[in-house]
Amino acid sequence: MSLLENSFLKLPLQNAIQLYGDEVVPRLTKRNKVIAIGTAVALSIIYFLRDRVTKPPRKLRHIPYLSYFGVLRSMYYKESVRDRSARVHIPEINSENSNGLFLEVARNGWVLHVANPEDAKRVFLKLELFPKIDLSAERSGTLNSKFTIGPNLPMINGAHWKAQRKVANPAFRRSMPVKLFGQLTQEMFKSMENKGEVYNVSDLMERWTLDAIGIAGFGFDFKSIHNKDSEWVHRYARINEGLRDPIFFLFPYLDTNFRWLFPHRVETHKQTDIFLEMLDEVIKSKKLDLENGVKNNALEENERDLLSLMLESGEEGNGILSNKELKSNLCAFFLAGHDTTANALSYAIHYLAENQGIQEKARQEAISILGDEPCDILPTIEDTKKMTYINQIMKETLRINGPVARTLPRVVQEDIFLSGTFVPKGTLLVVNMFGIQHSNKIWSDPDVFNPDRFSENGEGIRETGEGMAWVPFGNGARQCIGMNFSLNEQRVLLSMLLRKYRWSTPKDSPHKNGIISAGLNVQGPVDLDIAFQKLY
């Protein structure tokens, strides 16, 4: 037996994998690349199975838990979070004996799902008892760590989080660029001219929100509405695809030690580096402008970009963020404000296509607020406050198809009881927002699209009751900071779209008998084609 083989057998498995990557893989020929990849995956799977066994730790086995291999099966078949939640979670939550708590294995081990409004309220309001889990060290060097995991608002805790929130809060309160959203909607209308009547709404909303978050976030125009083949559109699409790859998400070791075996992954990292370098240059340029007293006075206060407002926040005594913190937060704003809003708009357009009466009622509201002149009217902030029924449509869309299915993991800081169930210190926990918003114990006919739930006397009023039943943006102090930003994007685009077009689902649409979604934690409709008819 060689010295290398003997060392390999004596090492703990994690170190053995490291040795395999450093010593064995480099000796393999190009011809054996498939074997190398297979061995790397096998070793990672063994390590995963060894450290996260098929049953929860004994201290948690008094809590109902879902099949370990069922999760792997869903991953293998790339089942969307929405579809798995509807197929597996909802029957568990709705079962007679369920109190809305169950365990399921995830990337970080066994996680307690909280799927009842009362316990969700406690989790959202007790920050010190349920802080976010620290993922920085575990995923260092992965694509997710480059783009997602860093010193940003969604990831940090305690005093660090409070300091950043103090800087970001004023910026988000001041920045509400409804004129920009209206102008981008006009540009989208131009791009739709003379291109037939059927459009891929998923693609259209992805490009519209990319331009919106780029300009409103840090003053960078991706120009994706008119040029879907631009290098920046392809670059961000590639990054987005890479962040959602289930194999590298489940086995981050492949991304750090065996990346070279996956040329597509190597290229994705290169494109991510280019994107991050662009953010670095934008931050430097904005800081230089601020130092030289350069300010775009042509823009109204609410139309200015978030980065400029955060930089100015330091001069106003609200605190200063480092370049690293600024860049990390811009990445977080991108992930929180791009796909989520694009998917919410796509879902809303789908439900309005499927419910012509609701669409027409919403159109009449838009006309009553913006007028019936046969031309594009850009809503003002005051106009958006009057969109009562459109707001109900948005809230029902976010309830039935909220783009995010569950919160980021949190860790319980002391032994507690939730719904009479003992939960030991150190337990990982998520709020299952999809489960809460689809439980028939909370909502009547939860799978039926019904905006009247959120009318003045509708059942949606329970969200302000004993628990929290409508939570697409979370709640409490750590509620999504961009919630109002996103809701105003949706109000502007939907109201203008309703005045300009009437739309329906094509007869041959795969979504005709139910929306088809995809995605890990962030989910959206797949290639949603919609037929539009111009009204002016």
Side-chain angles (χ1 to χ4, degrees), residues 64 89-102 113 115-116 419 421 439 441:
H89 295 176
I90 296 304
E92 169 64 28
I93 294 164
N94 286 341
S95 63
E96 184 177 351
N97 296 323
S98 173
N99 62 359
L101 302 177
F102 64 89
H113 285 239
N116 68 69
S419 292
T421 300
S439 172
K441 295 179 180 179

Side-chain angles (χ1 to χ4, degrees), residues 513-533:
N513 297 316
I515 194 78
I516 300 171
S517 300
L520 288 172
N521 201 30
V522 178
Q523 56 199 331
V526 179
D527 295 330
L528 180 64
D529 285 341
I530 294 290
F532 287 89
Q533 176 189 353

Side-chain angles (χ1 to χ4, degrees), residues 271-286:
Q271 295 302 320
T272 303
D273 291 339
I274 294 172
F275 188 92
L276 296 175
E277 287 168 6
M278 177 269 288
L279 293 182
D280 283 329
E281 290 303 313
V282 169
I283 291 168
K284 289 177 184 177
S285 176
K286 292 278 185 184

Side-chain angles (χ1 to χ4, degrees), residues 358-384:
I358 294 174
Q359 182 185 148
E360 187 56 34
K361 184 176 178 179
R363 179 172 295 108
Q364 292 308 312
E365 180 179 75
I367 290 172
S368 72
I369 296 168
L370 302 176
D372 58 0
E373 292 183 51
C375 61
D376 299 338
I377 304 295
L378 275 61
T380 65
I381 291 179
E382 290 305 312
D383 289 332
T384 63

Side-chain angles (χ1 to χ4, degrees), residues 414-444:
E414 61 185 54
D415 292 348
I416 59 168
F417 283 87
L418 294 175
S419 292
T421 300
F422 176 68
V423 179
K425 178 181 178 180
T427 301
L428 297 182
L429 171 153
V430 296
V431 175
N432 190 318
M433 298 181 286
F434 185 95
I436 291 173
Q437 295 179 170
H438 285 77
S439 172
N440 60 21
K441 295 179 180 179
I442 304 168
W443 305 93
S444 60

